[in-house]
Amino acid sequence: MTAAGDVPVDEVVEALRDVARLGGFFALDAASGPARGGARLTGEGFAARARTVNERYGTGEARIGVSIAHLGLAARLWSPVLACALVHGIVPVMTTAEWGGDGSALRLAGPRGCRAPRGASSLADAVAAQADGVLQRLESHLPVKMAPRLLAGNSASALVGSAAQLLRVRPGLRAPLTELTRELLETGRLPGTGRITGPGLTFRRRSCCLYYRAPNGSKCGDCCLVR
């Protein structure tokens, strides 16, 4: 039996499979069984991925790898949650999210979900709890100290980037997607992280992800340092 508000597992799995067809960071494999020890979103596993990022970009500055890996993880958390909430009215429970393999893709061990609340504020709270909430729990185990506003800015940047991509592939969602994205930017730790600058959900953040500090790196399109 499912509790009040819970969604049958097969319905959650079908919703996840559907939004995965949007491509990119929306893909979230739904698998049965408990999370595998080596794949859980632990500090050790994240640190290994951050080191891989440093090797890829040829930098020994640990904060760069941590920030870029963190930004990518944030996008993989926000994207499927946003899409499932708006396309299927389901908020997937992300507490069992784990890495799906040696890469950065995620899977859910034992997928669950709840019906999306109807009010904009309640929906924003539910979506943020499953995306940014999981991200924040991991942040307490990062291998190096990072500025809290940088991490919040990464989350906001990933949120709006995910929303912009969803808008491109599902333009009919413009009104509810824009409303939810704006509401999310006023939820939890995200107020003050940046602002939406255009109808296509372009964004200007108030912090920097540090990518420009990597050899051959550059400033991102939403970076506060871009003039």
Side-chain angles (χ1 to χ4, degrees):
M1 295 181 62
T2 57
D6 285 355
V7 178
V9 171
D10 59 348
E11 192 175 338
V12 177
V13 170
E14 183 53 40
L16 290 169
R17 286 175 177 167
D18 180 55
V19 301
R21 298 185 185 104
L22 300 174
F25 293 114
F26 294 97
L28 179 65
D29 185 34
S32 59
R36 300 164 294 174
R40 295 190 183 100
L41 296 184
T42 62
E44 293 82 3
F46 179 85
R49 283 162 174 78
R51 288 193 296 271
T52 298
V53 171
N54 277 101
E55 292 168 4
R56 182 184 307 143
Y57 290 105
T59 176
E61 188 175 347
R63 291 190 310 146
I64 295 174
V66 167
S67 181
I68 295 174
H70 176 269
L71 184 58
L73 176 60
R76 290 189 180 278
L77 291 167
W78 281 113
S79 297
V81 178
L82 271 179
C84 280
L86 289 174
V87 177
H88 292 281
I90 295 171
V91 179
V93 174
M94 301 293 283
T95 52
T96 62
E98 61 180 26
W99 279 290
D102 294 334
S104 57
L106 298 181
R107 71 192 283 274
L108 280 185
R112 295 186 295 119
C114 300
R115 297 295 176 194
R118 292 185 179 275
S121 179
S122 296
L123 178 56
D125 286 341
V127 169
Q130 297 306 327
D132 199 42
V134 170
L135 190 65
Q136 288 186 73
R137 284 191 286 277
L138 179 69
E139 288 169 10
S140 63
H141 303 288
L142 295 178
V144 294
K145 185 175 178 59
M146 302 293 290
R149 295 311 288 169
L150 181 154
L151 297 175
N154 278 357
S155 184
S157 177
L159 157 65
V160 184
S162 297
Q165 178 59 24
L166 182 56
L167 178 61
R168 284 191 284 272
V169 296
R170 293 291 180 92
L173 292 174
R174 177 180 295 278
L177 177 57
T178 301
E179 179 184 26
L180 177 57
T181 304
R182 291 186 182 279
E183 190 72 35
L184 282 163
L185 288 173
E186 296 300 324
T187 300
R189 62 172 173 171
L190 299 187
T193 53
R195 61 186 178 87
I196 293 173
T197 58
L201 295 179
T202 50
F203 186 63
R204 177 59 56 88
R205 60 185 287 178
R206 294 193 173 97
S207 60
C208 174
C209 74
L210 306 181
Y211 174 58
Y212 82 99
R213 293 174 64 91
N216 301 314
S218 61
K219 299 180 179 69
C220 304
D222 66 356
C223 184
C224 64
L225 301 178
V226 172
R227 292 289 181 263

